[in-house]
Amino acid sequence: MKVSREQVSKNRENILASAARLFRDKGYDAVTLADVMKDAGLTHGGFYGYFSSKGDLMAQANAWQSDKQLAGISGELADYVAGYLDAAHVANRAGGCLFAALGSDAPRQSGAARHAMSQGLQGMIARLGELMGDGAGDAEARRDAAMTLFSTMVGGLLLARLVDDDDAAARLLAANRAALLAGLATFG
Amino acid sequence: MKVSREQVSKNRENILASAARLFRDKGYDAVTLADVMKDAGLTHGGFYGYFSSKGDLMAQANAWQSDKQLAGISGELADYVAGYLDAAHVANRAGGCLFAALGSDAPRQSGAARHAMSQGLQGMIARLGELMGDGAGDAEARRDAAMTLFSTMVGGLLLARLVDDDDAAARLLAANRAALLAGLATFG
DNA sequence: TGTACATCAGTGAACGCGCGTTCACTGATGTAC
DNA sequence: TGTACATCAGTGAACGCGCGTTCACTGATGTAC
């Protein structure tokens, strides 16, 4: 049955939100279109009214999630870093950072899906560069510093999720957090 | 037809080598058992004479590749870091670091496959800690420093592969390389 | 050392099953008058 | 404002296809004598 235009808009948003969560949680390949549509409260047949293919959904979900993450950065940079390198973030893959959850899969995707993630990453680096203290130098130097900062954050989260020993994970987080916050204090 | 025991041993090695390459290149899910067996010069039906399931292969390939990588670390730590954060490594996913290629997929695997990778990572960190200069402090401090070092290396390589712009990738590599080598020089 | 035979690694066809995608149909929406 | 009808979002069954896994068979290996 036909639904209102407003409902169509909500459904589209729900599909993207469900896809963004499920992809991060289980990986692109392990998530089926039926899973996504069911999670969004619809049946799988309606999918092609919204997206042209699974690849299209992957691209749009990457862009959607990138935008959302970027918009979520506010306040002190040190607080953002500390929240990122936290046990709660390690446990919350479905709701956490796109780049740590799907970063090693992205280069394998073709065209649009990869590009959306690439653009998101560039935006992320630019934003973190802006938040860097003046002590880090001029705009170019701050951008370089942001690249290293975010590399360590993503790598640290990814490795903390990888080890299957809670103590080792906690130590990885703590070591990275301490090193990065010390660096930011120097720059600040 | 039956083959010699020596050939069986070689075949097993070939299957693991093919699997380790293909998994890193295309991801676990996108690689079929037929792909692996064909790459190893065999037909797919023979697979179950060597491994009990695809998951078993994934676990053993992870362990095999981890061991190989660990054994490949020698010489100056600074040289290893510079070679790791290099454009050639970005381009060579199939032959490169297991953790950067499959790190975000590993936590989704169950039991053995994840554990093999976790053990490999712990070995890697221990080895890098040993190679840290005395300036980094005692054994515990060196291990912490190795954790941050490897987090930045893995994150830096992963993000450099993710961006679909060669200049941006080169800059990410350069920024991380410069920051890490400066840090090592201080510790040295 | 040579021969006869049991073993078993490898082959390739076949099996279920699940997935992405398609499609005829339904019935609520929104427009034309 | 009400009514009649064209539109089209959503449904659920069906389709190919490819994958992991199984299995009867083959023929070289390696052992027993």
Side-chain angles (χ1 to χ4, degrees):
Chain A
M1 55 294 194
K2 192 175 181 180
V3 301
S4 70
R5 284 207 260 269
E6 190 188 4
Q7 187 60 48
V8 166
S9 174
K10 280 185 191 165
N11 285 347
R12 186 190 156 80
E13 192 78 2
N14 286 342
I15 294 170
L16 283 170
S18 293
R21 282 193 73 84
L22 288 168
F23 285 152
R24 279 176 288 169
D25 193 29
K26 303 176 189 302
Y28 296 113
D29 291 347
V31 173
T32 71
L33 296 182
D35 289 339
V36 172
M37 294 301 276
K38 187 177 181 185
D39 194 72
L42 295 165
T43 54
H44 67 282
F47 175 79
Y48 293 88
Y50 289 92
F51 303 96
S52 65
S53 67
K54 188 179 183 183
D56 182 27
L57 175 65
M58 284 160 53
Q60 299 211 38
N62 284 351
W64 187 88
Q65 178 59 29
S66 288
D67 286 351
K68 208 150 193 224
Q69 255 172 253
L70 194 57
I73 305 178
S74 63
E76 282 293 312
L77 184 53
D79 293 338
Y80 179 68
V81 172
Y84 190 102
L85 291 171
D86 188 90
H89 194 182
V90 169
N92 184 24
R93 200 169 53 219
C97 178
L98 173 68
F99 306 103
L102 293 166
S104 58
D105 287 320
R108 299 181 184 110
Q109 260 88 55
S110 57
R114 183 184 174 187
H115 188 63
M117 210 149 157
S118 177
Q119 291 296 104
L121 174 58
Q122 304 257 32
M124 201 77 174
I125 290 170
R127 183 91 181 87
L128 293 177
E130 291 164 10
L131 293 176
M132 278 276 165
D134 293 337
D138 64 12
E140 291 302 305
R142 286 209 298 267
R143 194 179 165 89
D144 280 349
M147 285 180 174
T148 299
L149 172 66
F150 198 55
S151 293
T152 308
M153 289 165 68
V154 170
L157 179 60
L158 185 134
L159 296 184
R161 281 181 180 154
L162 202 159
V163 295
D164 59 359
D165 168 344
D166 286 347
D167 289 344
R171 186 166 171 184
L172 256 162
L173 287 178
N176 279 311
R177 207 166 43 221
L180 292 181
L181 294 182
L184 289 179
T186 303
F187 289 156
Chain B
M1 57 293 200
K2 191 175 181 179
V3 302
S4 71
R5 284 207 261 270
E6 190 188 4
Q7 187 61 48
V8 167
S9 174
K10 281 183 191 167
N11 285 347
R12 186 190 157 79
E13 192 77 2
N14 287 341
I15 295 170
L16 283 170
S18 293
R21 282 193 73 83
L22 288 168
F23 284 152
R24 278 176 289 168
D25 193 28
K26 302 176 189 304
Y28 295 113
D29 291 347
V31 174
T32 70
L33 296 183
D35 289 338
V36 173
M37 293 302 276
K38 187 178 181 184
D39 194 73
L42 295 165
T43 53
H44 68 281
F47 175 80
Y48 294 88
Y50 289 92
F51 303 95
S52 65
S53 67
K54 188 178 183 183
D56 181 27
L57 174 65
M58 284 160 52
Q60 299 211 37
N62 284 350
W64 187 87
Q65 178 58 30
S66 287
D67 286 351
K68 206 148 194 225
Q69 255 171 253
L70 194 57
I73 304 178
S74 62
E76 282 294 311
L77 183 53
D79 293 337
Y80 180 68
V81 172
Y84 191 101
L85 290 171
D86 188 89
H89 193 183
V90 170
N92 183 24
R93 199 169 55 220
C97 177
L98 173 68
F99 307 103
L102 293 166
S104 57
D105 288 320
R108 299 182 184 110
Q109 259 88 56
S110 57
R114 182 183 175 189
H115 189 63
M117 210 151 157
S118 177
Q119 292 294 106
L121 174 59
Q122 304 255 34
M124 200 78 174
I125 290 170
R127 183 89 180 89
L128 293 177
E130 289 164 12
L131 293 177
M132 279 276 165
D134 292 336
D138 64 13
E140 291 302 305
R142 286 209 297 268
R143 194 179 165 90
D144 280 348
M147 286 180 175
T148 299
L149 172 67
F150 198 55
S151 294
T152 308
M153 290 166 66
V154 170
L157 179 60
L158 185 134
L159 296 185
R161 281 179 180 157
L162 202 159
V163 294
D164 58 0
D165 168 343
D166 285 348
D167 290 342
R171 186 165 172 185
L172 257 162
L173 287 179
N176 280 312
R177 206 165 45 220
L180 292 181
L181 294 183
L184 289 179
T186 303
F187 289 156

